[in-house]
Amino acid sequence: MPTEELPRLMTFGQILHEDILAREGIPPFDNSAMDGFAVRVDDLVQLPADLRLDGEIPAGKAPNAEVESGACIRIMTGAQIPPGAEAVVPVEWTTEINQERIRIHRKPEAGAYIRRAAQDAAKHETVVKRGTRITPPVMGVIAAAGYHRIKVAKPPDVAIIVTGDELHLDVSKPLPPARIYDANGPGLVTQVLEAGGTPLGPEVARDDGGDIEFEIGRGLEADVIVISGGVSVGKYDLVQEVLDSIGFEKYFWRVRQRPGGPMLFGMIGTRPVFGLPGNPVSSAVCFQQYVRPALLAMMGAAEIHPPQIKAKLGSSVRKEAGLHHFVRGKAQWQENGPLIVHTTGPQTSNLYSSLQHANCLIHLEEEVVNPSEGEEVIITPLPWAVIG
Ligand code: AMP
Ligand code: MG
């Protein structure tokens, strides 16, 4: 994707397209970590020590005097350390004798409670790398580095087309017989948003060649097309036939996986086209497994896949050899123990709730058969969930 330069607050969730170098040191100057008194440590050999109070330095104000021998300067957290100061004595270690004299009861180490300039980052040091996703702390570091406008990858426009004569769209009207509400359209729109893309739609196509062709034609304005349903072998699964008639280059169709066996992928020109099976879990899981990494790669993200984590199965799982399974799981850390993962119950691909209650996918390789309780498996966290 091309680069665009935006005000920083418009870039949340996007992928950085430049290295961020600290304009100044972070922090830019030595400053106090406490509200207290800037002192010379040699003045505190005998305790308690009474020091002359030579004014104050609030945060944001440059010091205009140095700490003289036998004296101290009141200083606030974040205020610049004055010349001559060797440490800050926290206010809790002192008593005020009067407006001109402070009694110090404890001696700090040299350098105590002074936060050094450039402790977090040196001037011109790279603090965020190109390819990083902009999260709240990344935003904070970008701001601390002194950037107002930043270069990010333009988010890909993702056309979402759901297919099926059974889809009932006017949700203000009761559901007619034999119809269902569209779950995949809104589900995919939010998955695109989570991935940092710009969703277009969802548009709906009937199980009709002309209708599907019209919607795909509109989708050609986008950078990526995601179609749900109509990619299997049923009489009314017309998506592939339509695609073939408009210059689609097929890369693969049907994957040895569950859910999502009938998945289709190819290109129209330079535009990736994903045909996701219509069952809601197939659509959502295939999006996570294939579409999300593709969108992140298009934006130049350094990390496109979720981390792979080892966990132990909390109970046995029934599985035959032959297909790679993405099982919806709920992983939980045991107190002082391993990460245990349970399936979220029945796993057929029409049960969206199996995904709703999951915080990860359990990856069971093709050859795995009936893995038993306690067996080690690989899980990948779902980006919207937390493993607790
Ligand atoms: P298909 O891939 O078109 O054969 O659809 C497979 C199953 O998914 C069928 O039971 C469809 O009714 C269901 N389905 C397809 N599209 C959607 C959708 N947008 N929302 C909910 N269910 C759907
Ligand atoms: Mg269908």
Side-chain angles (χ1 to χ4, degrees):
M1 296 303 298
T3 300
E4 59 184 354
E5 196 181 284
L6 292 175
R8 62 197 183 193
L9 287 181
M10 290 178 67
T11 63
F12 178 52
Q14 297 188 21
I15 306 296
L16 196 60
H17 254 211
E18 63 178 326
D19 288 341
I20 300 291
L21 278 57
R23 298 241 193 271
E24 302 293 337
I26 307 176
F29 49 84
D30 289 355
N31 67 90
S32 179
M34 296 291 259
D35 294 322
F37 298 90
V39 297
R40 293 172 175 267
V41 283
D42 284 352
D43 288 340
L44 305 178
V45 177
Q46 299 273 13
L47 290 176
D50 291 355
L51 300 178
R52 186 179 78 235
L53 180 59
D54 277 358
E56 61 169 36
I57 312 169
K61 216 160 164 233
N64 55 9
E66 77 176 86
V67 178
E68 289 175 3
S69 185
C72 65
I73 299 179
R74 191 191 299 275
I75 191 165
M76 314 306 154
T77 305
Q80 187 168 352
I81 298 291
E86 292 164 340
V88 171
V89 180
V91 75
E92 293 83 353
W93 300 4
T94 69
T95 43
E96 230 171 288
I97 301 166
N98 57 42
Q99 289 189 349
E100 275 121 52
R101 290 201 85 71
I102 303 295
R103 180 160 294 169
I104 313 276
H105 300 278
R106 258 176 86 178
K107 183 178 174 211
E109 304 275 316
Y113 302 112
I114 295 178
R115 300 188 290 212
R116 293 295 173 194
Q119 190 186 355
D120 213 0
K123 185 169 177 162
H124 301 325
E125 184 181 331
T126 300
V127 289
V128 191
K129 285 216 167 74
R130 184 189 170 107
T132 302
R133 191 153 190 200
I134 297 174
T135 60
V138 169
M139 181 69 82
V141 171
I142 287 171
Y147 283 61
H148 293 271
R149 294 175 69 81
I150 51 175
K151 293 188 179 122
V152 290
K154 184 191 161 303
D157 288 336
V158 183
I160 294 163
I161 303 167
V162 295
T163 70
D165 282 345
E166 71 276 38
L167 301 179
H168 172 64
L169 300 170
D170 186 353
V171 290
S172 68
K173 300 232 168 69
L175 201 58
R179 298 292 198 88
I180 59 170
Y181 295 118
D182 167 29
N184 296 352
L188 289 167
V189 163
T190 40
Q191 285 182 283
V192 169
L193 286 170
E194 187 287 320
T198 303
L200 306 180
E203 303 299 341
V204 183
R206 300 280 155 211
D207 290 321
D208 168 90
D211 209 15
I212 294 170
E213 187 175 341
F214 175 76
E215 291 301 344
I216 293 174
R218 293 213 293 178
L220 293 177
E221 286 175 18
D223 301 301
V224 179
I225 299 178
V226 174
I227 306 166
S228 127
V231 292
S232 192
V233 292
K235 185 176 166 198
Y236 298 101
D237 290 334
L238 303 171
V239 168
Q240 198 165 171
E241 203 178 298
V242 170
L243 283 169
D244 287 341
S245 73
I246 57 170
F248 173 70
E249 190 191 344
K250 181 162 80 186
Y251 281 51
F252 60 82
W253 178 46
R254 293 172 147 176
V255 181
R256 288 199 302 277
Q257 64 183 10
R258 178 173 295 157
M263 178 173 167
L264 171 69
F265 174 75
M267 305 279 281
I268 300 178
T270 57
R271 192 176 295 92
V273 180
F274 295 87
L276 309 182
N279 273 306
V281 174
S282 312
S283 155
V285 168
C286 288
F287 185 97
Q288 286 313 115
Q289 201 59 32
Y290 300 93
V291 186
R292 185 178 189 270
L295 298 181
L296 288 169
M298 288 173 76
M299 291 185 279
E303 302 271 352
I304 64 168
H305 294 295
Q308 302 199 343
I309 303 171
K310 286 185 183 139
K312 283 192 188 323
L313 281 179
S315 47
S316 60
V317 178
R318 290 180 65 97
K319 179 188 177 297
E320 294 173 2
L323 300 178
H324 182 116
H325 284 205
F326 306 109
V327 180
R328 279 74 74 199
K330 179 140 191 185
Q332 212 165 5
W333 290 103
Q334 306 305 295
E335 210 168 321
N336 305 319
L339 183 61
I340 299 282
V341 63
H342 288 272
T343 75
T344 56
Q347 293 287 314
T348 52
S349 57
N350 56 320
L351 299 173
Y352 222 148
S353 58
S354 71
L355 189 59
Q356 181 200 342
H357 300 299
N359 60 11
C360 66
L361 296 176
I362 309 169
H363 295 255
L364 301 176
E365 304 285 337
E366 280 178 44
E367 63 278 10
V368 170
V369 179
N370 295 331
S372 42
E373 180 183 337
E375 220 162 286
E376 191 173 274
V377 289
I378 294 291
I379 65 167
T380 52
L382 292 163
W384 50 75
V386 171
I387 294 179

